[in-house]
Amino acid sequence: MKKQFFIYPILVLSIIFTGCSDDDPIPTPVNEEELITTMTITLSPDGGGTDIVLKTVDMDGDGGNAPVVTITGGNLSAGTTYNGSIELLNASETPAENITEEVQEEAEEHQFFYTIGSGLDVTTTYEDEDGDGNPIGVEFTLVANTVSAGDLTFTLRHEPNKSAAGVADGDITNAGGETDITETFSVTVE
């Protein structure tokens, strides 16, 4: 009987000590991607006039229902310079969360790219930069050169390689990273 009384405390203590090992991995917090439901690109003519607004709304994010894409304010005018700005929202929350602020706070980890399709005669220039002097693209200039029409695609990349060939000039080819949001707009310059 004395042997059993002596064995039970040892058994209990061994279970306690092996269950509380310092070798257990500590779970790392998951940094979830933000849901971007709305991207609004506002093009304001230099010198005044009617703003042109390119907008995509996709309340369920990637997959599911197709986004609603709109262009308001008319067509671009040939020979006009536009001051562009991009706003990103997560409108699935109330009030809507402004994702643009996060992109600007994490500027070294983000960059917008503007891809100009064949047939469209516009040029773009970055007007903002991160702490390392690389472009962000929330603010930009767009020049509508001549009468033309075609696609204009806006893409936000997370963690692009900003030092890769052409990336600082807006070439997405070597950027890498992950696409946070992308949308193509059919644009006309008249």
Side-chain angles (χ1 to χ4, degrees), residues 18-154:
T18 58
C20 297
S21 169
D22 287 338
D23 296 335
D24 292 341
I26 298 171
T28 56
V30 176
N31 186 9
E32 293 184 21
E33 296 279 331
E34 296 287 344
L35 174 63
I36 301 173
T37 61
T38 308
M39 177 168 59
T40 305
I41 298 109
T42 303
L43 301 172
S44 301
D46 197 24
T50 303
D51 287 351
I52 297 170
V53 178
L54 316 175
K55 187 173 186 175
T56 180
V57 178
D58 191 358
M59 293 306 291
D60 63 354
D62 286 339
N65 298 321
V68 176
V69 179
T70 58
I71 299 176
T72 58
N75 294 322
L76 299 172
S77 296
T80 301
T81 299
Y82 294 87
N83 299 307
S85 63
I86 301 174
E87 179 185 56
L88 304 171
L89 298 175
N90 175 0
S92 70
E93 297 181 2
T94 304
E97 180 183 7
N98 187 339
I99 305 297
T100 314
E101 293 172 356
E102 181 177 320
V103 169
Q104 291 170 321
E105 288 169 7
E106 300 173 359
E108 286 80 8
E109 300 173 13
H110 293 92
Q111 183 174 339
F112 273 99
F113 294 88
Y114 325 115
T115 306
I116 302 163
S118 64
L120 183 62
D121 187 14
V122 301
T123 54
T124 59
T125 306
Y126 290 106
E127 294 296 336
D128 55 0
E129 57 186 34
D130 63 23
D132 297 327
N134 294 312
I136 306 168
V138 172
E139 304 290 331
F140 63 99
T141 301
L142 182 143
V143 178
N145 296 310
T146 62
V147 173
S148 57
D151 291 339
L152 181 57
T153 303
F154 292 83

Side-chain angles (χ1 to χ4, degrees), residues 155-169:
T155 304
L156 175 61
R157 284 284 173 92
H158 181 77
E159 295 187 349
N161 180 357
K162 292 190 176 190
S163 63
V167 173
D169 296 323

